[in-house]
Amino acid sequence: MVSARPAVQQLPAYRPGRNPADLAREIGVERAVKLASNEVAFPPLPAVVEALATAAAETNRYPDNGAVVLTAALAERYGVDPAQVVTGCGAVMLCQQLAQSFNDPGTSIAFAWRSFEMYPLLAQVAGARSVQVPLVPGRPGGPADTHDLEALAAAVDETTRLVFVCNPNNPTGTAVRMPALERFLDAVPADTLVVLDEAYREFVTDPDVPDGLELMRGRPNVAVLRTFSKAWGLAGLRVGYLVAEDPAVADAVRRTHVPFSVNTLAQAAAVAALASEDEVRRRCAAVTAERERLTAALRDRGFDVSDSQANFVWLPVGEEAAELAAALESRAVITRPFAGQGIRVTVGTPEEDDALLAALDRVRSAAPVA
């Protein structure tokens, strides 16, 4: 009998957000609202639809394995050399490539916890040790807030090859600011790669939250991850990218690339999206305005919601997370629970968010009186 590696056998399956059409059929309603996967609610950009229609005529051919046009567009946008840029099938694929490129069994990957749920899985697959540093509580008795960068720096040892800093952090939505992040980067040894995971950078409104690409410059052991899946509206096409200060870092990641994994349609769509930046900015402004409205409405209902810098908010409901998420689902609203900790809620359209608020009110009114 052929057996997989023990590390692989022990991996929990990734759980994507539930399909709203399936839930609607199950509970007998016309429509369910999905606020679980941090997608944007806007339709694809018009330029993206046009680019997809044109590129579809070339799908009998293999895609450009080097994504040369997209790489050049990204390099020009950020003022770097194309040799510093690596594209991938979503930012999570690039996370996996980073682990493959820099971690051997016996080494470690350090990150805050709770943070992006793929980090410990990537370490496990690479045979590396996960070093999980608890988040700083936002206030006495309050929700887990953001990275404890001093503790994270102290956790780095001679085995640490990678450090992920998710900023803004998924799932809490909170972000670390310039002085703390600069001190952290200065404290990390030069032979440890720090990856600033900025999947939600376009939704940041706090001026004190730094642009990782600016902090990267002059620091050869820093790289930045970003994605087209969130603000740019290409979640269904899977395009992410890494920018490294040191081209040797980018080269190492490029060597673990799965050939042709960024397909023809994805490349064309990403290039078209970059040319539509003004419209993307307008859409992000609408999301952040709705984020503020939703945050205020949740606080009015007694939820201790931290200020989010992403396109989602975090409900720190602790042990109630699974039960509350199930109750919302029974009322046709899909959220993302993290058992024993909280619920992440994507910022949707005003109508979708009103459906969430109404469902919360119904759950509260149905709760038994103590």
Side-chain angles (χ1 to χ4, degrees):
M1 176 176 163
V2 178
S3 297
R5 292 169 48 214
V8 173
Q9 291 176 335
Q10 295 164 11
L11 283 175
Y14 179 77
R15 293 177 59 249
R18 188 169 184 193
N19 186 306
D22 291 344
L23 176 62
R25 284 192 296 271
E26 180 182 308
I27 63 177
V29 297
E30 182 176 337
R31 176 175 178 266
V33 171
K34 181 184 177 185
L35 301 176
S37 297
N38 298 342
E39 304 142 322
V40 292
F42 296 100
L45 294 156
V48 165
V49 174
E50 183 178 344
L52 289 173
T54 301
E58 301 295 326
T59 53
N60 59 309
R61 305 292 185 183
Y62 281 107
D64 173 10
N65 191 50
V68 171
V69 175
L70 175 57
T71 298
L74 288 165
E76 181 179 1
R77 184 176 193 270
Y78 294 119
V80 298
D81 190 277
Q84 296 173 257
V85 180
V86 187
T87 61
C89 185
V92 69
M93 174 62 80
L94 288 163
C95 286
Q96 180 170 314
Q97 290 176 239
L98 284 159
Q100 291 172 332
S101 300
F102 295 99
N103 283 96
D104 287 313
T107 64
S108 64
I109 301 176
F111 47 88
W113 197 253
R114 174 168 290 274
S115 191
F116 182 38
E117 60 196 289
M118 289 301 296
Y119 296 156
L121 304 185
L122 296 171
Q124 193 170 340
V125 169
R129 181 169 56 95
S130 288
V131 179
Q132 302 182 10
V133 178
L135 296 171
V136 178
R139 57 192 69 85
D145 190 5
T146 191
H147 290 68
D148 185 340
L149 291 178
E150 290 186 8
L152 188 58
V156 174
D157 61 22
E158 67 278 0
T159 72
T160 310
R161 297 292 178 268
L162 279 179
V163 180
F164 285 105
V165 178
C166 190
N167 198 42
N169 187 46
N170 177 12
T172 62
T174 53
V176 293
R177 294 179 170 85
M178 176 74 83
L181 192 50
E182 282 187 312
R183 287 194 300 271
F184 170 77
L185 294 177
D186 291 342
V188 173
D191 59 354
T192 297
L193 180 63
V194 178
V195 180
L196 304 178
D197 186 346
E198 296 189 333
Y200 301 95
R201 171 65 204 175
E202 292 85 354
F203 301 107
V204 171
T205 55
D206 183 343
D208 294 327
V209 175
D211 181 332
L213 287 162
E214 296 307 315
L215 280 182
M216 176 196 76
R217 300 181 198 277
R219 291 184 167 93
N221 67 327
V222 176
V224 177
L225 268 177
R226 291 191 182 170
T227 182
F228 284 93
S229 293
K230 312 302 181 186
W232 301 88
L234 303 185
L237 289 170
R238 312 302 302 131
V239 193
Y241 58 97
L242 176 136
V243 183
E245 175 66 0
D246 185 353
V249 169
D251 180 66
V253 175
R254 204 174 287 115
R255 288 172 185 270
T256 60
H257 169 75
V258 175
F260 308 118
S261 56
V262 184
N263 67 62
T264 299
L265 297 177
Q267 291 183 38
V271 171
L274 284 174
S276 304
E277 185 170 357
D278 289 344
E279 175 58 24
V280 171
R281 289 183 183 277
R282 283 191 288 271
R283 291 180 173 196
C284 288
V287 170
T288 57
E290 177 62 11
R291 179 183 72 198
E292 300 312 307
R293 185 186 79 92
L294 177 60
T295 298
L298 290 167
R299 287 173 177 167
D300 287 345
R301 286 162 171 79
F303 291 99
D304 194 6
V305 181
S306 298
D307 291 331
S308 174
Q309 293 297 309
N311 70 329
F312 55 84
V313 296
W314 173 248
L315 307 185
V317 294
E319 295 299 328
E320 298 176 25
E323 182 180 356
L324 178 56
L328 291 172
E329 198 166 293
S330 72
R331 291 160 176 82
V333 177
I334 304 168
T335 59
R336 189 60 174 264
F338 295 80
Q341 295 180 308
I343 295 175
R344 191 188 68 197
V345 179
T346 304
V347 177
T349 65
E351 294 75 20
E352 289 172 335
D353 294 338
D354 285 343
L356 164 74
L357 296 170
L360 282 169
D361 291 341
R362 292 198 298 273
V363 170
R364 289 280 184 85
S365 65
V369 178

